[in-house]
Each structure stands twice: as structure tokens, then as C-alpha cells.
């Protein structure tokens, strides 16, 4: 038996004030009527999770496995990391006398960013260390430093706001002195390399150290693949050795190519026990405070993804990584709806997909790795405890 595990980013809302109370999602309601409902707290009750942490917990890991955003983004962009690598998220910026005039450099075009990437990688050189830079979308990118004795305990060079000075990287402890010094040399060299460009500096933030973690397969005895557009989600999957292919036209927003994603999910079925499918758009609209947008995104998912999944998978789990209520424009601790559907899952009396209804479901309230453990049993892959 095979399971599709659908993660709708930012799915949850404020119960009783939810857009889900106002809409009828035809296919998702079919899952609700023929399956079991519940609530899922990915990281635990009362906690407001970031998406990266939330996914790590969905996969059955916890905070001690967390490596920071930098390495996850780097993995998501296809950089093969080694244990001890330090990775940052980066922004191309426009600076004058070290004052940041625009920390997105006018959201430069991808082709231009790629030209600058080439220049940086050709010219940047720190003796004894390998430095890898990769531009991603517009001004964004990642930088990786590889070598002995590096530390993630350093401050950002990104001041986080326009009009402030580009920061000097400082060590947070004695052991990080050398790393901070290397980062400052890198920043200086990049300024020289980019002299005269519209984007004449690279701001670094979110340093993280790549760690070796037990693979998802070793941990759960399940083979899995992740279908996602956004690099962060591919990165979290790759971090725990879940395969995440790059999918044509999968953009991580409402214009994402759902046809290709569905096709990729169905293709992934043969080789895997669990296929995770990440859908980002509802979270984006939640952050924008756009209730109508969130509704539209859910309707599109219902129409273009869910039916195809129902036709192809025996067990379907649908939930979110956290709530992003449109009223709050941020992640929150509110409950996230959970549906599980399939012969081995069973049925309950819940008929409509919304937070209030899900709270009455027979799965109750699940947290953290409890959900993946259930999935394992629903696809007949569990191991008995005792004899
Ligand atoms: Zn999220």
C-alpha cells in the first residue's frame, strides 16, 4: 500500500473565523466524509513553528536535528553539503560607503544574478577553504564555506533594513573567531568583485552548520519522496535523505504547475511508501492577509491535485505544517486540520472540512511524529511492540 501525504502550507485558521467555514471543497470533503478527521500540531501544542522546523517534525525529527535555515536552503538549491559546512542565506544588495541603500538590489533579474554568481565563484578565493556561492531567485542566494574548524556562532552581515550599515561579522564565542574573520574577508572580496555593479554587495544571514542526521528510511523503515517547488522544502527533505527532484514549473506559489506536481507524485509512487506533496500558496495568502486568495488557492488545490491523488493512492493524509490565519498575517499556534483516508484508516461522522468540524474527529489531536507512525501502520509497515 502507498500513501500520499499532502502538506498544505499554512492550512490552519482561527477556529470559528475560518475561510473553511464558508467554502465547500468538493474533493477534500469527499476525503472527510469517507475518512477520519483530527487536528495536527506539527511541533506541539502552543508552539508557533517556522516552516522548516514544522517539516522536520512532520518527518519525525525534532529540534536537536535542526541545522538552521542556511544549510536547508543550500540543499534545496542542489548544493551537496558535507558535515561541518557553514551555509548562509544571502541577498544581493546595493550599498554606498557600506550603507545599504537597497537590500534587494532592485530585485535584480535571475539572468543578471547568474552572471554575478559566475564572477564571484571565479574570483573569490580564501586559502585553505572552499567557498561556494549560488544565486537562486532575484536577489536571493546561498553561500557555503567548507573547511576545518568552522563555527556557525557568528552574527549576520545583513542589517535587515535599508538605510543601515552593512554589519561586520562578529564571533559569538572564542571558537568562532576564525570563521568571523573568514566571513569578513569574503564580504570584502565580494565588494571588490562587484564594484560598479547594480548589485555591489552580498549580505549574509542565518548561518547554520550542516549535520549528518539519520535518514528517513533508517528512522522509519519507509521509502519516501518529496514533491515540492520551494527550495526550503526540498532542502528539508534532502537533509533527512528524502529524495526531492526539481519539478518543471513548480514555483511554490499559486501559478505552480500542479499538473507536473501531480504527475511527479504518481511517478514517485512505484519506488516509495510515502509521497509527500507540499503545496505552498495558501500560506502566501495568509501572510498577505488575503482571505479571498487563500480560498482561491485551496479551491485550486482541491480541483487540480486532490482528485488525481484519490485516483492513485490507497492511503491519503492531508494536513498542514502550521496555521497562517489571514487575520494575523503570520504563523500561529492555531489547530491545523487533519484528514486521513483509506481502507485501513476507517471512517467517522465528520462531514465538512473546517477547524471546528475536525476538532470533533476520531483521530483527536495528534502531535509531532505521532502522525507518521500512524501512516506507517495504515500502509501495513508498522512493527509490533512486544510479542
Ligand atoms: Zn509553512
Amino acid at each position: 500500500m502507498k500513501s500520499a501525504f499532502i502538506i498544505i502550507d499554512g492550512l490552519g485558521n482561527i477556529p470559528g473565523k475560518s475561510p473553511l467555514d464558508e467554502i465547500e471543497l468538493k474533493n477534500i470533503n469527499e476525503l472527510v466524509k469517507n475518512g477520519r478527521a483530527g487536528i495536527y500540531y506539527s511541533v506541539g501544542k502552543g508552539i508557533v513553528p517556522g516552516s522548516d522546523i514544522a517539516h522536520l517534525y512532520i518527518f519525525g525529527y525534532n529540534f536537536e536535528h535542526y541545522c538552521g535555515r542556511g544549510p536547508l536552503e543550500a540543499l534545496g538549491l542542489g548544493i551537496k553539503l558535507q558535515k561541518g559546512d557553514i551555509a548562509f542565506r544571502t541577498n544581493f544588495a546595493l550599498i554606498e560607503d557600506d550603507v545599504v541603500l537597497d537590500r534587494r538590489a532592485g530585485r535584480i533579474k535571475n539572468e543578471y544574478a547568474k552572471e554575478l554568481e559566475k564572477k564571484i565563484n571565479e574570483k573569490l578565493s580564501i586559502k585553505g577553504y572552499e567557498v561556494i556561492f549560488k544565486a537562486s531567485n532575484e536577489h536571493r542566494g546561498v553561500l557555503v564555506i567548507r573547511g576545518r574548524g568552522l563555527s556557525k556562532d557568528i552574527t549576520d552581515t545583513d542589517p535587515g533594513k535599508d538605510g543601515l550599515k552593512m554589519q561586520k561579522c562578529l564571533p559569538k564565542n572564542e571558537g568562532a573567531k576564525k570563521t568571523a574573520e573568514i566571513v569578513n574577508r569574503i564580504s570584502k572580496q565580494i565588494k571588490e568583485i562587484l564594484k560598479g555593479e547594480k548589485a555591489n554587495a552580498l549580505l549574509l544571514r542565518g548561518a547554520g552548520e550542516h549535520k549528518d542526521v539519520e535518514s528517513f528510511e533508517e528512522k522509519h523503515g519507509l521509502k519516501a519522496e518529496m514533491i515540492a517547488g520551494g527550495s526550503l522544502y526540498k532542502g528539508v527533505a534532502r537533509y533527512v535523505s528524502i529524495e526531492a527532484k526539481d519539478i518543471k514549473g513548480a514555483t511554490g506559489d499559486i501559478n505552480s504547475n500542479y499538473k507536473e506536481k501531480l504527475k511527479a507524485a504518481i511517478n514517485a509512487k512505484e519506488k516509495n511508501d510515502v509521497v509527500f506533496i507540499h503545496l505552498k500558496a495558501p500560506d502566501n495568502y495568509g501572510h498577505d492577509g488575503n482571505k479571498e486568495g487563500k480560498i482561491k488557492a485551496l479551491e485550486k488545490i482541491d480541483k487540480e491535485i486532490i482528485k488525481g491523488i484519490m485516483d492513485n493512492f490507497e492511503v491519503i493524509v492531508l494536513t498542514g505544517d502550521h496555521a497562517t490565519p489571514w487575520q494575523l498575517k503570520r504563523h500561529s499556534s492555531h489547530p491545523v486540520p487533519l484528514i486521513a483516508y483509506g481502507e485501513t484508516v476507517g471512517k467517522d461522522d465528520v462531514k465538512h472540512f473546517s477547524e471546528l468540524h475536525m476538532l470533533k474527529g476520531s483521530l483527536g489531536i495528534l502531535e509531532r511524529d505521532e502522525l507518521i507512525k500512524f501512516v506507517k501502520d495504515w500502509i501495513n509497515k508498522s512493527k509490533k511492540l512486544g510479542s
Side-chain angles (χ1 to χ4, degrees):
M1 289 180 95
K2 308 284 176 152
S3 168
F5 192 127
I6 302 164
I7 305 167
I8 301 183
D9 208 299
L11 174 64
N13 302 282
I14 302 176
K17 295 179 175 187
S18 164
L20 296 176
D21 296 321
E22 300 168 28
I23 54 172
E24 182 78 18
L25 298 165
K26 192 173 152 253
N27 295 308
I28 293 180
N29 275 340
E30 234 4 76
L31 294 177
V32 176
K33 284 176 197 156
N34 296 292
R36 292 171 66 190
I39 288 294
Y40 181 52
Y41 291 110
S42 60
V43 184
K45 293 186 197 105
I47 294 171
V48 179
S51 288
D52 47 2
I53 284 283
H55 279 76
L56 207 55
Y57 275 83
I58 290 171
F59 297 148
Y61 296 79
N62 57 50
F63 193 71
E64 81 188 49
H65 302 108
Y66 187 57
C67 62
R69 182 86 182 243
L72 299 174
E73 289 281 355
L75 289 166
L77 291 176
I79 298 176
K80 298 246 183 301
L81 292 183
Q82 297 173 8
K83 190 179 168 194
D85 284 357
I86 302 295
F88 305 80
R89 300 167 77 192
T90 68
N91 269 26
F92 277 119
L94 179 66
I95 64 167
E96 196 179 296
D97 298 332
D98 269 355
V99 174
V100 176
L101 302 180
D102 181 354
R103 62 183 285 281
R104 297 188 178 90
R107 294 186 180 274
I108 53 170
K109 291 231 161 59
N110 291 1
E111 302 81 66
Y112 179 48
K114 281 284 162 201
E115 274 172 41
L116 300 182
E117 172 193 296
K118 199 166 162 239
K119 253 178 142 173
I120 290 172
N121 284 328
E122 272 169 13
K123 295 186 181 161
L124 184 65
S125 156
I126 302 286
K127 201 166 172 244
Y129 293 88
E130 190 182 346
V131 184
I132 307 159
F133 170 65
K134 191 157 184 180
S136 60
N137 201 20
E138 298 177 333
H139 53 280
R140 302 178 193 92
V142 292
L143 184 116
V144 177
I145 312 175
R146 179 170 297 156
R148 293 175 86 129
L150 294 170
S151 166
K152 64 172 184 358
D153 298 329
I154 47 171
T155 58
D156 298 345
T157 65
D158 185 346
K161 252 195 234 164
D162 289 347
L164 298 177
K165 264 195 145 179
M166 184 171 169
Q167 302 290 299
K168 202 174 158 203
C169 177
L170 299 172
K172 292 180 186 169
N173 55 46
E174 201 60 26
K177 265 180 147 173
K178 188 174 72 183
T179 312
E181 186 239 325
I182 291 169
V183 170
N184 289 323
R185 277 165 61 200
I186 290 172
S187 291
K188 192 167 166 236
Q189 277 194 32
I190 290 178
K191 276 193 271 181
E192 277 157 23
I193 295 166
L194 299 181
K195 209 170 238 166
E197 298 285 353
K198 281 185 293 186
N200 60 3
L202 194 69
L203 306 176
L204 310 182
R205 68 184 191 282
E209 181 182 343
H210 185 63
K211 304 186 211 178
D212 277 337
V213 297
E214 190 186 11
S215 75
F216 183 84
E217 189 174 348
E218 282 163 2
K219 195 174 190 65
H220 302 293
L222 299 172
K223 282 197 182 7
E225 187 168 326
M226 175 71 150
I227 310 297
S231 54
L232 176 64
Y233 309 96
K234 286 187 277 192
V236 184
R238 288 170 184 163
Y239 183 57
V240 299
S241 307
I242 292 174
E243 189 177 4
K245 295 192 179 104
D246 294 319
I247 295 161
K248 205 176 81 191
T251 53
D253 61 27
I254 190 127
N255 300 314
S256 194
N257 190 339
Y258 284 170
K259 238 188 187 159
E260 283 299 321
K261 279 180 107 165
L262 181 60
K263 211 165 92 187
I266 295 167
N267 284 341
K269 188 182 139 179
E270 194 172 307
K271 271 182 22 198
N272 293 287
D273 303 301
V274 183
V275 180
F276 293 100
I277 302 144
H278 177 258
L279 302 157
K280 175 72 177 162
D283 179 61
N284 294 344
Y285 287 111
H287 282 287
D288 291 345
N290 183 344
K291 177 180 157 193
E292 292 308 317
K294 196 165 181 184
I295 289 175
K296 267 205 190 103
L298 289 165
E299 287 173 342
K300 189 170 175 211
I301 288 168
D302 186 60
K303 213 170 121 198
E304 296 181 20
I305 296 273
I306 305 300
K307 182 70 175 68
I309 294 293
M310 289 167 78
D311 292 341
N312 284 283
F313 287 85
E314 289 86 13
V315 171
I316 300 168
V317 170
L318 184 150
T319 189
D321 54 346
H322 52 76
T324 312
W326 67 273
Q327 296 95 329
L328 300 177
K329 301 186 184 180
R330 61 166 175 85
H331 297 184
S332 74
S333 63
H334 289 98
V336 182
L338 163 67
I339 310 163
Y341 163 97
E343 272 307 308
T344 52
V345 178
K347 269 180 79 160
D348 60 22
D349 296 333
V350 180
K351 300 270 187 289
H352 186 85
F353 184 62
S354 84
E355 290 78 4
L356 287 179
H357 288 89
M358 298 290 119
L359 280 160
K360 298 173 191 148
S362 66
L363 286 173
I365 295 174
L366 301 187
E367 289 186 340
R368 304 179 172 187
D369 63 351
E370 289 172 350
L371 184 51
I372 195 70
K373 286 178 183 160
F374 269 116
V375 173
K376 197 170 163 177
D377 191 38
W378 291 328
I379 58 172
N380 294 326
K381 288 271 179 178
S382 56
K383 284 212 176 73
K384 185 163 59 177
L385 187 66
S387 59

